[in-house]
Amino acid sequence: MAEIRLAIVGLGKIAHDQHLPAVAATPGISVAAVASRNATLDGVPCFLTIEALLASGVEVDAVALCTPPMGRHRLAAAALRAGKHVLLEKPPGASVAEIAPLEALARDRGLTLFATWHSRFAPAVEPARALLAEAEIRSVRVNWKEDVRHWHPGQEWIWQPGGLGVFDPGINALSIVTRILPRPLFVTEAVLEFPGNRATPIAASLRLGDAAGLEVAVEFDWRQTGPQSWDIHVDTADGALVLSGGGRHLSRDGAILHDAPEREYTEIYHRFVALIGAGASEVDLAPLVHVADAFMLGERRVVAEFHW
Ligand code: NAP
């Protein structure tokens, strides 16, 4: 297969931190263009908008959308209509229902649509899934608590409608939980804490269940200073499994089972190249559905204003 010429759209934090190095480390794909209003990349043609890129005649085969979720549907639809494969950063959209038309467009045109969940590519996630497929699971606790000022400095879009607030990192935890647990989950309760001056929550507590009566307790908080927590505790009949570090480390009763370096985005680009080669798409909306349900079902509390 010829090398895939990729355009990056939205050259911000995640594009610089992860996409550019991961593409450079993946055989079969390279960056051929950029579309971003305020950023350029040396050595490739750069455009202000995706429309200008697609009209330019610069040859690209695929597009990675690294913009915030609001507006991503329009960008993805434009790319698919122009015959480009599309990789969506997480979350795949600003609403649940906007994804199905993209899947249909990709299917009709024989293109790949890849809705990525980077945390699912953390090294201990698949080993945890394999262990839990055989386990008697008693309860699950998720603690995803981080410092928004450190991880999202100055990003105003996270506080705007569609920006998801604390669910922007929280959806990563849900992407892991929905991958490692053996049965589909559903939200049963939610409490969302909104800063008085913001449109999205800074903290959330959720309860989820499944058809077998499992309870999953989830705590998301963006006000955590000091040590950060990205941990999933699973009590099983064979001991306490802890998936920590955002899916990087797995232990049972304190003994380390898996501990490998992180290469989430390199894995993502290997998968993208393989999906394009196979003429396949990969879209799982479960994490986004749970976030939407939390917004629908959740009790809203107003808490202290947030200022950078
Ligand atoms: P970011 O630093 O704000 O970058 C996004 C870029 O998109 C901006 O630099 C901007 O570039 C462009 N853009 C287009 N429309 C925009 C709008 N309405 N508001 C703001 N920027 C807009 O955000 P990011 O952290 O890279 O996150 C982008 C996506 O990646 C999000 O969906 C996020 O959940 C996901 N993600 C982020 C991280 C992380 O650690 N930051 C990790 C994993 C996934 P121009 O102004 O040049 O157009």
Side-chain angles (χ1 to χ4, degrees):
M1 195 170 75
E3 184 160 86
I4 297 158
R5 297 160 294 189
L6 178 76
I8 302 251
V9 178
L11 197 59
K13 186 172 189 308
I14 198 61
H16 275 291
D17 290 358
Q18 297 287 354
H19 289 257
L20 293 176
V23 174
T26 307
I29 190 164
S30 62
V31 175
V34 160
S36 211
R37 301 162 307 178
N38 298 293
T40 56
L41 183 67
D42 285 347
V44 298
C46 295
F47 303 87
L48 291 178
T49 64
I50 192 168
E51 289 80 10
L53 160 67
L54 294 171
S56 69
V58 168
E59 295 198 340
V60 300
D61 309 296
V63 169
L65 298 182
C66 303
T67 52
M70 309 87 101
R72 207 173 284 144
H73 173 87
R74 183 182 64 78
L75 303 174
L80 290 165
R81 284 203 187 93
K84 315 303 178 195
H85 307 288
V86 170
L87 180 154
L88 301 171
E89 249 301 347
K90 50 70 43 171
S95 75
V96 180
E98 71 186 50
I99 312 301
L102 300 178
E103 290 184 274
L105 263 178
R107 198 168 45 242
D108 291 349
R109 287 167 167 70
L111 297 166
T112 291
L113 178 66
F114 182 19
T116 61
W117 298 110
H118 66 87
S119 293
R120 286 189 177 174
F121 290 88
V125 169
E126 289 306 311
R129 175 181 161 88
L131 276 177
L132 292 173
E134 309 294 326
E136 184 190 320
I137 304 169
R138 293 177 172 162
S139 65
V140 181
R141 275 181 301 122
V142 177
N143 269 321
W144 223 256
K145 298 182 177 177
E146 60 176 53
D147 181 354
V148 63
R149 290 183 177 84
H150 179 81
W151 297 104
H152 295 272
Q155 289 181 347
E156 281 301 328
W157 63 263
I158 57 175
W159 298 114
Q160 293 163 3
L164 294 192
V166 76
F167 288 102
D168 177 77
I171 203 168
N172 298 331
L174 295 173
S175 76
I176 296 179
V177 166
T178 49
R179 178 73 191 155
I180 62 175
L181 293 181
R183 290 174 296 275
L185 298 169
F186 48 90
V187 175
T188 57
E189 284 175 48
V191 177
L192 313 182
E193 296 186 3
F194 287 76
N197 60 338
R198 302 287 177 172
T200 59
I202 196 165
S205 305
L206 314 184
R207 295 286 177 278
L208 297 96
D210 75 4
L214 179 66
E215 289 202 354
V216 180
V218 175
E219 297 294 330
F220 296 150
D221 203 322
W222 243 351
R223 297 165 297 198
Q224 176 102 336
T225 52
Q228 310 283 285
S229 325
W230 299 289
D231 304 327
I232 299 171
H233 301 254
V234 185
D235 284 321
T236 76
D238 303 319
L241 279 182
V242 181
L243 188 56
S244 58
R248 214 169 296 175
H249 321 288
L250 181 65
S251 64
R252 180 160 48 202
D253 294 333
I256 293 170
L257 301 179
H258 282 275
D259 196 357
E262 184 274 302
R263 33 181 278 126
E264 294 173 10
Y265 278 81
T266 318
E267 297 290 340
I268 281 178
Y269 276 99
H270 274 91
R271 176 76 60 88
F272 192 37
V273 170
L275 286 169
I276 292 171
S281 286
E282 186 176 303
V283 178
D284 175 15
L285 296 184
L288 190 63
V289 167
H290 297 323
V291 171
D293 282 353
F295 274 97
M296 184 158 64
L297 192 62
E299 176 190 334
R300 288 160 187 255
R301 294 184 186 159
V302 177
V303 297
E305 290 192 355
F306 176 85
H307 298 280
W308 295 104

